[in-house]
Coordinates of all heavy atoms in Angstrom, one line a residue:
M1 N 24.8 -4.7 -53.7 CA 23.7 -4.4 -53.0 C 22.8 -3.5 -53.8 O 23.3 -2.5 -54.3 CB 24.2 -3.6 -51.7 CG 23.0 -3.2 -50.8 SD 23.6 -2.3 -49.2 CE 24.9 -3.4 -48.6
N2 N 21.5 -3.8 -53.8 CA 20.5 -3.1 -54.6 C 19.9 -1.9 -53.7 O 20.2 -1.9 -52.5 CB 19.4 -3.9 -55.2 CG 18.5 -4.6 -54.2 OD1 18.3 -4.0 -53.1 ND2 18.1 -5.7 -54.6
V3 N 19.1 -1.1 -54.2 CA 18.6 0.0 -53.6 C 17.8 -0.3 -52.3 O 18.0 0.2 -51.3 CB 17.7 1.0 -54.4 CG1 17.0 2.1 -53.7 CG2 18.7 1.7 -55.6
E4 N 16.9 -1.4 -52.5 CA 16.1 -1.8 -51.5 C 16.9 -2.3 -50.2 O 16.7 -2.0 -49.1 CB 15.1 -2.8 -51.9 CG 14.1 -3.4 -50.9 CD 13.2 -4.4 -51.5 OE1 12.7 -4.2 -52.6 OE2 13.0 -5.5 -50.8
Q5 N 17.9 -3.1 -50.5 CA 18.9 -3.6 -49.5 C 19.5 -2.5 -48.8 O 19.7 -2.5 -47.5 CB 19.8 -4.6 -50.0 CG 19.2 -5.9 -50.5 CD 20.2 -6.7 -51.4 OE1 21.1 -6.2 -52.0 NE2 20.1 -8.0 -51.2
L6 N 20.0 -1.5 -49.6 CA 20.7 -0.4 -49.0 C 19.9 0.4 -48.1 O 20.3 0.8 -47.0 CB 21.2 0.4 -50.1 CG 22.2 1.6 -49.8 CD1 23.4 1.7 -50.8 CD2 21.4 2.9 -49.8
I7 N 18.6 0.6 -48.5 CA 17.7 1.4 -47.6 C 17.4 0.6 -46.3 O 17.4 1.1 -45.2 CB 16.4 1.8 -48.4 CG1 16.7 2.8 -49.5 CG2 15.3 2.2 -47.4 CD1 15.5 3.1 -50.4
K8 N 17.2 -0.7 -46.5 CA 16.9 -1.6 -45.3 C 18.1 -1.5 -44.3 O 17.9 -1.3 -43.1 CB 16.6 -3.0 -45.6 CG 15.3 -3.2 -46.2 CD 15.1 -4.7 -46.5 CE 13.7 -4.9 -47.1 NZ 13.5 -6.4 -47.5
N9 N 19.3 -1.5 -44.8 CA 20.5 -1.5 -44.1 C 20.6 -0.1 -43.3 O 21.0 -0.1 -42.2 CB 21.8 -1.8 -44.9 CG 23.0 -1.9 -44.0 OD1 23.0 -2.7 -43.1 ND2 24.0 -1.1 -44.4
F10 N 20.4 0.9 -44.0 CA 20.4 2.3 -43.5 C 19.3 2.4 -42.4 O 19.6 3.0 -41.3 CB 20.1 3.3 -44.6 CG 20.0 4.7 -44.1 CD1 21.2 5.4 -43.6 CD2 18.9 5.4 -44.2 CE1 21.1 6.7 -43.1 CE2 18.7 6.7 -43.8 CZ 19.9 7.4 -43.3
N11 N 18.2 1.9 -42.6 CA 17.1 2.1 -41.6 C 17.5 1.2 -40.3 O 17.1 1.5 -39.3 CB 15.8 1.6 -42.1 CG 15.1 2.6 -43.1 OD1 15.5 3.7 -43.1 ND2 14.3 2.1 -43.9
K12 N 18.2 0.1 -40.5 CA 18.5 -0.8 -39.4 C 19.7 -0.2 -38.6 O 19.7 -0.2 -37.3 CB 18.8 -2.2 -39.9 CG 19.2 -3.1 -38.8 CD 19.4 -4.6 -39.3 CE 19.9 -5.5 -38.2 NZ 20.3 -6.8 -38.8
T13 N 20.8 0.2 -39.3 CA 22.0 0.6 -38.6 C 22.1 2.1 -38.4 O 22.9 2.5 -37.5 CB 23.2 0.1 -39.4 OG1 23.2 0.8 -40.7 CG2 23.2 -1.4 -39.6
G14 N 21.6 2.8 -39.3 CA 21.8 4.3 -39.3 C 23.1 4.8 -39.8 O 23.5 5.9 -39.6
V15 N 23.7 3.8 -40.5 CA 25.0 4.2 -41.0 C 24.9 4.7 -42.5 O 24.3 3.9 -43.2 CB 26.0 3.1 -41.0 CG1 27.4 3.3 -41.6 CG2 26.3 2.6 -39.5
F16 N 25.2 5.9 -42.8 CA 25.0 6.4 -44.2 C 26.0 5.6 -45.1 O 27.2 5.5 -44.8 CB 25.3 7.9 -44.3 CG 24.6 8.6 -45.3 CD1 23.3 8.9 -45.1 CD2 25.2 8.8 -46.5 CE1 22.6 9.6 -46.1 CE2 24.4 9.4 -47.6 CZ 23.2 9.9 -47.3
P17 N 25.5 5.1 -46.2 CA 26.4 4.3 -47.2 C 27.4 5.2 -47.8 O 27.2 6.5 -48.0 CB 25.3 3.9 -48.2 CG 24.1 4.7 -48.1 CD 24.1 5.3 -46.7
T18 N 28.5 4.6 -48.3 CA 29.5 5.2 -49.0 C 29.1 5.6 -50.4 O 28.1 5.1 -50.9 CB 30.7 4.4 -49.1 OG1 30.5 3.1 -49.9 CG2 31.3 3.9 -47.7
D19 N 29.8 6.5 -51.1 CA 29.5 6.8 -52.5 C 29.6 5.6 -53.3 O 28.8 5.4 -54.3 CB 30.5 7.8 -53.0 CG 30.3 9.2 -52.4 OD1 29.2 9.4 -51.9 OD2 31.1 10.1 -52.6
E20 N 30.5 4.7 -53.0 CA 30.7 3.5 -53.9 C 29.4 2.5 -53.7 O 28.9 2.1 -54.7 CB 31.9 2.7 -53.4 CG 32.1 1.4 -54.3 CD 33.4 0.8 -53.8 OE1 34.4 1.4 -53.5 OE2 33.5 -0.5 -53.9
Q21 N 28.9 2.4 -52.5 CA 27.8 1.6 -52.2 C 26.5 2.3 -52.9 O 25.7 1.5 -53.4 CB 27.5 1.5 -50.7 CG 28.5 0.7 -50.1 CD 28.3 0.7 -48.5 OE1 28.1 1.8 -48.0 NE2 28.5 -0.5 -47.9
L22 N 26.4 3.6 -52.8 CA 25.3 4.3 -53.5 C 25.4 4.1 -55.0 O 24.4 3.8 -55.6 CB 25.3 5.8 -53.2 CG 25.0 6.2 -51.7 CD1 25.4 7.5 -51.5 CD2 23.5 5.9 -51.5
L23 N 26.5 4.2 -55.6 CA 26.7 4.1 -57.0 C 26.3 2.6 -57.5 O 25.7 2.5 -58.5 CB 28.1 4.5 -57.4 CG 28.4 4.7 -58.9 CD1 27.5 5.7 -59.5 CD2 29.9 5.1 -59.1
T24 N 26.8 1.7 -56.7 CA 26.5 0.3 -57.0 C 25.0 0.0 -57.0 O 24.4 -0.6 -57.8 CB 27.2 -0.6 -56.0 OG1 28.6 -0.5 -56.1 CG2 26.9 -2.1 -56.4
A25 N 24.3 0.6 -56.0 CA 22.9 0.4 -55.8 C 22.2 1.0 -57.0 O 21.3 0.5 -57.5 CB 22.4 1.0 -54.5
I26 N 22.5 2.2 -57.4 CA 21.7 2.9 -58.4 C 21.9 2.4 -59.8 O 21.3 2.6 -60.8 CB 21.8 4.5 -58.4 CG1 23.3 4.9 -58.8 CG2 21.3 5.0 -57.1 CD1 23.3 6.4 -59.1
S27 N 23.2 1.7 -60.0 CA 23.5 1.2 -61.3 C 22.5 0.1 -61.7 O 22.5 -0.1 -63.0 CB 24.9 0.6 -61.3 OG 25.0 -0.5 -60.5
S28 N 21.8 -0.6 -60.9 CA 20.9 -1.5 -61.2 C 19.5 -1.0 -61.1 O 18.5 -1.8 -61.2 CB 21.1 -2.7 -60.3 OG 20.9 -2.5 -59.0
D29 N 19.2 0.2 -60.9 CA 17.9 0.8 -60.7 C 17.6 1.9 -61.6 O 18.3 3.0 -61.5 CB 17.7 1.2 -59.2 CG 16.2 1.5 -58.9 OD1 15.5 2.0 -59.7 OD2 15.9 1.1 -57.7
L30 N 16.7 1.8 -62.5 CA 16.4 2.9 -63.5 C 15.7 4.1 -62.9 O 15.6 5.1 -63.7 CB 15.6 2.3 -64.6 CG 16.3 1.2 -65.4 CD1 15.3 0.6 -66.5 CD2 17.6 1.5 -66.1
N31 N 15.3 4.1 -61.6 CA 14.6 5.2 -61.1 C 15.5 6.3 -60.6 O 15.1 7.3 -60.2 CB 13.8 4.7 -59.8 CG 12.6 3.8 -60.3 OD1 12.0 4.1 -61.3 ND2 12.5 2.8 -59.6
Y32 N 16.9 6.0 -60.6 CA 17.9 7.0 -60.1 C 18.9 7.3 -61.2 O 19.3 6.4 -61.9 CB 18.6 6.4 -58.9 CG 17.6 6.1 -57.8 CD1 17.1 4.9 -57.5 CD2 17.4 7.2 -56.8 CE1 16.3 4.7 -56.5 CE2 16.5 6.9 -55.8 CZ 16.0 5.7 -55.6 OH 15.1 5.4 -54.6
Y33 N 19.1 8.6 -61.4 CA 20.0 9.0 -62.4 C 21.3 9.4 -61.8 O 22.3 9.5 -62.5 CB 19.5 10.3 -63.1 CG 18.1 9.9 -63.9 CD1 17.0 10.4 -63.4 CD2 18.2 9.2 -65.0 CE1 15.8 10.1 -64.0 CE2 17.0 8.8 -65.7 CZ 15.8 9.3 -65.2 OH 14.7 9.0 -65.8
S34 N 21.3 9.7 -60.5 CA 22.6 10.1 -59.8 C 22.5 9.6 -58.3 O 21.3 9.3 -57.8 CB 22.9 11.5 -59.9 OG 22.0 12.2 -59.0
I35 N 23.7 9.6 -57.6 CA 23.6 9.2 -56.3 C 22.9 10.2 -55.4 O 22.4 10.0 -54.3 CB 25.0 8.8 -55.7 CG1 26.0 10.0 -55.7 CG2 25.5 7.6 -56.4 CD1 27.2 9.7 -55.0
Y36 N 22.9 11.5 -55.9 CA 22.2 12.6 -55.1 C 20.8 12.3 -54.8 O 20.3 12.5 -53.8 CB 22.4 13.9 -55.9 CG 21.7 15.1 -55.3 CD1 22.3 15.7 -54.2 CD2 20.4 15.6 -55.7 CE1 21.7 16.8 -53.6 CE2 19.8 16.6 -55.0 CZ 20.5 17.2 -53.9 OH 19.9 18.2 -53.4
G37 N 20.0 11.7 -55.8 CA 18.6 11.4 -55.5 C 18.4 10.4 -54.5 O 17.6 10.6 -53.6
L38 N 19.2 9.5 -54.5 CA 19.2 8.4 -53.4 C 19.6 8.9 -52.0 O 19.0 8.7 -51.0 CB 20.0 7.2 -53.8 CG 20.0 6.0 -52.8 CD1 18.6 5.5 -52.5 CD2 20.8 4.9 -53.4
E39 N 20.7 9.7 -52.1 CA 21.1 10.4 -50.8 C 20.0 11.2 -50.2 O 19.7 11.1 -49.0 CB 22.3 11.3 -51.1 CG 23.6 10.5 -51.3 CD 24.7 11.5 -51.7 OE1 24.5 12.5 -52.3 OE2 25.9 11.2 -51.3
M40 N 19.3 12.0 -51.0 CA 18.2 12.8 -50.5 C 17.0 12.0 -50.0 O 16.4 12.4 -49.0 CB 17.7 13.8 -51.6 CG 18.8 14.9 -52.0 SD 19.2 15.9 -50.6 CE 20.8 15.2 -50.1
Q41 N 16.8 10.9 -50.7 CA 15.8 9.9 -50.2 C 16.1 9.4 -48.8 O 15.3 9.4 -47.9 CB 15.5 8.8 -51.1 CG 14.4 7.9 -50.6 CD 14.2 6.7 -51.6 OE1 14.8 6.7 -52.7 NE2 13.3 5.8 -51.2
L42 N 17.4 9.1 -48.6 CA 17.8 8.5 -47.3 C 17.7 9.7 -46.2 O 17.3 9.3 -45.1 CB 19.2 8.1 -47.3 CG 19.5 6.8 -48.3 CD1 20.9 6.5 -48.3 CD2 18.7 5.6 -47.8
V43 N 18.1 10.9 -46.5 CA 18.0 11.9 -45.6 C 16.5 12.2 -45.2 O 16.2 12.4 -44.0 CB 18.6 13.2 -46.2 CG1 18.2 14.5 -45.4 CG2 20.1 13.1 -46.2
E44 N 15.6 12.2 -46.2 CA 14.2 12.3 -45.9 C 13.6 11.2 -45.0 O 12.9 11.5 -44.1 CB 13.4 12.4 -47.2 CG 13.4 13.7 -47.9 CD 12.7 14.8 -47.0 OE1 11.6 14.6 -46.6 OE2 13.4 15.8 -46.7
I45 N 14.1 10.0 -45.3 CA 13.6 8.9 -44.4 C 14.0 9.1 -43.0 O 13.2 9.0 -42.1 CB 14.2 7.6 -44.9 CG1 13.6 7.1 -46.2 CG2 14.0 6.4 -43.9 CD1 14.3 6.0 -46.9
A46 N 15.2 9.6 -42.7 CA 15.7 9.7 -41.4 C 15.1 11.0 -40.8 O 14.8 11.0 -39.6 CB 17.3 9.9 -41.4
R47 N 14.9 12.0 -41.5 CA 14.3 13.3 -41.1 C 12.9 13.2 -40.6 O 12.5 13.7 -39.7 CB 14.4 14.3 -42.2 CG 14.1 15.8 -41.8 CD 14.2 16.8 -42.8 NE 13.2 16.6 -43.8 CZ 12.0 17.1 -43.8 NH1 11.5 17.8 -42.7 NH2 11.1 16.9 -44.8
N48 N 12.1 12.3 -41.3 CA 10.8 12.1 -40.9 C 10.4 11.0 -39.9 O 9.3 10.8 -39.6 CB 10.0 11.7 -42.2 CG 9.9 12.9 -43.2 OD1 9.9 14.0 -42.8 ND2 10.1 12.6 -44.6
D49 N 11.4 10.3 -39.4 CA 11.2 9.3 -38.4 C 12.1 9.6 -37.1 O 13.4 9.4 -37.2 CB 11.6 8.0 -39.0 CG 11.4 6.9 -38.0 OD1 11.0 7.1 -36.9 OD2 11.6 5.7 -38.4
V50 N 11.5 10.1 -36.0 CA 12.3 10.5 -34.9 C 13.0 9.3 -34.2 O 13.9 9.4 -33.5 CB 11.5 11.2 -33.8 CG1 11.0 12.6 -34.3 CG2 10.3 10.4 -33.4
N51 N 12.5 8.1 -34.5 CA 13.2 6.9 -34.0 C 14.3 6.3 -34.9 O 14.9 5.3 -34.5 CB 12.1 5.8 -33.8 CG 11.2 6.2 -32.6 OD1 11.5 6.7 -31.6 ND2 9.9 6.1 -32.9
H52 N 14.5 6.9 -36.0 CA 15.5 6.5 -37.0 C 16.9 6.8 -36.3 O 17.1 7.9 -35.8 CB 15.4 7.2 -38.3 CG 16.2 6.5 -39.4 ND1 17.5 6.7 -39.5 CD2 15.9 5.6 -40.3 CE1 18.0 6.0 -40.5 NE2 16.9 5.4 -41.1
P53 N 17.9 5.9 -36.4 CA 19.2 6.0 -35.8 C 19.9 7.3 -36.4 O 20.7 8.0 -35.7 CB 19.9 4.8 -36.1 CG 19.0 3.8 -36.6 CD 17.7 4.5 -37.0
Y54 N 19.6 7.7 -37.6 CA 20.3 8.9 -38.3 C 19.5 10.2 -38.1 O 19.9 11.2 -38.6 CB 20.5 8.5 -39.7 CG 21.6 9.3 -40.5 CD1 22.9 8.9 -40.2 CD2 21.3 10.3 -41.3 CE1 24.0 9.6 -40.8 CE2 22.4 11.0 -42.0 CZ 23.7 10.6 -41.7 OH 24.7 11.2 -42.3
H55 N 18.4 10.1 -37.4 CA 17.5 11.3 -37.4 C 18.2 12.6 -36.9 O 18.1 13.6 -37.4 CB 16.3 10.9 -36.5 CG 15.3 12.1 -36.3 ND1 14.4 12.5 -37.3 CD2 15.2 13.0 -35.2 CE1 13.8 13.6 -36.9 NE2 14.2 13.9 -35.6
Y56 N 18.8 12.5 -35.7 CA 19.5 13.6 -35.1 C 20.7 14.1 -35.9 O 21.1 15.3 -35.7 CB 19.7 13.4 -33.7 CG 18.5 13.3 -32.9 CD1 18.0 12.1 -32.4 CD2 17.8 14.4 -32.6 CE1 16.7 12.0 -31.8 CE2 16.5 14.3 -31.9 CZ 16.0 13.2 -31.5 OH 14.9 13.1 -30.9
A57 N 21.2 13.3 -36.8 CA 22.3 13.7 -37.6 C 21.8 14.7 -38.8 O 22.5 15.6 -39.2 CB 22.9 12.5 -38.3
V58 N 20.5 14.6 -39.1 CA 20.0 15.4 -40.1 C 19.1 16.5 -39.6 O 18.9 17.6 -40.3 CB 19.3 14.6 -41.2 CG1 20.2 13.7 -42.0 CG2 18.1 13.9 -40.6
C59 N 18.7 16.3 -38.3 CA 17.7 17.3 -37.8 C 18.3 18.1 -36.6 O 17.7 19.2 -36.2 CB 16.4 16.7 -37.3 SG 15.5 16.1 -38.7
G60 N 19.3 17.6 -35.9 CA 19.7 18.2 -34.7 C 18.7 18.1 -33.6 O 18.1 17.0 -33.5
G61 N 18.4 19.1 -32.9 CA 17.4 19.0 -31.8 C 18.1 19.0 -30.4 O 19.2 19.4 -30.2
D62 N 17.3 18.7 -29.4 CA 17.9 18.8 -28.0 C 19.0 17.9 -27.8 O 19.7 18.0 -26.8 CB 16.7 18.6 -27.0 CG 16.1 17.3 -27.0 OD1 16.1 16.6 -28.1 OD2 15.4 16.9 -26.1
K63 N 19.1 16.8 -28.5 CA 20.2 15.8 -28.4 C 21.5 16.2 -29.1 O 22.5 15.5 -29.1 CB 19.8 14.4 -28.8 CG 18.6 13.9 -27.9 CD 18.2 12.4 -28.3 CE 17.2 11.9 -27.4 NZ 16.8 10.7 -27.7
F64 N 21.4 17.3 -29.8 CA 22.5 17.8 -30.6 C 23.4 18.6 -29.7 O 22.9 19.5 -29.0 CB 22.0 18.6 -31.8 CG 23.0 18.7 -32.9 CD1 23.1 17.6 -33.8 CD2 23.7 19.9 -33.1 CE1 24.0 17.7 -34.9 CE2 24.5 20.0 -34.2 CZ 24.7 18.9 -35.0
I65 N 24.7 18.5 -29.7 CA 25.6 19.2 -28.9 C 25.9 20.5 -29.6 O 26.4 20.6 -30.7 CB 26.9 18.4 -28.6 CG1 26.6 17.1 -27.9 CG2 27.9 19.2 -27.9 CD1 27.7 16.1 -27.8
N66 N 25.6 21.6 -28.8 CA 26.0 23.0 -29.3 C 27.3 23.3 -28.6 O 27.4 23.5 -27.4 CB 24.9 24.0 -29.0 CG 23.6 23.6 -29.8 OD1 23.8 23.4 -30.9 ND2 22.5 23.8 -29.1
L67 N 28.3 23.6 -29.4 CA 29.6 24.1 -28.8 C 29.7 25.5 -28.9 O 29.4 26.2 -29.8 CB 30.7 23.3 -29.5 CG 30.7 21.8 -29.5 CD1 31.8 21.3 -30.3 CD2 31.0 21.4 -28.0

């Protein structure tokens, strides 16, 4: 899976990719030197879109359970 496919899947499902999936994706893309950069891009995508399935996992908010 390349980076574009990984991002599309993340946006559709909201499931954060595994380290292995991230490593496979960046191995074919010269824009990434480590999985950290791609992870941060995914977090930013989710953080900036309140309708993203992963949004509340990175932002919390009123839908976040406080124990």
Side-chain angles (χ1 to χ4, degrees):
M1 180 181 309
N2 65 30
V3 171
E4 185 178 311
Q5 292 169 324
L6 189 134
I7 291 172
K8 283 181 183 178
N9 187 54
F10 176 66
N11 288 336
K12 181 180 178 182
T13 65
V15 176
F16 208 83
T18 64
D19 286 348
E20 184 177 324
Q21 290 170 321
L22 290 164
L23 193 56
T24 300
I26 68 164
S27 67
S28 62
D29 193 321
L30 299 176
N31 294 318
Y32 297 95
Y33 300 106
S34 71
I35 63 173
Y36 178 77
L38 182 52
E39 286 175 326
M40 292 300 100
Q41 181 180 354
L42 296 175
V43 167
E44 277 299 305
I45 289 169
R47 189 176 70 82
N48 292 324
D49 180 1
V50 295
N51 295 315
H52 193 281
Y54 204 75
H55 177 76
Y56 291 101
V58 295
C59 291
D62 61 340
K63 294 184 180 181
F64 203 77
I65 298 173
N66 291 318
L67 300 174

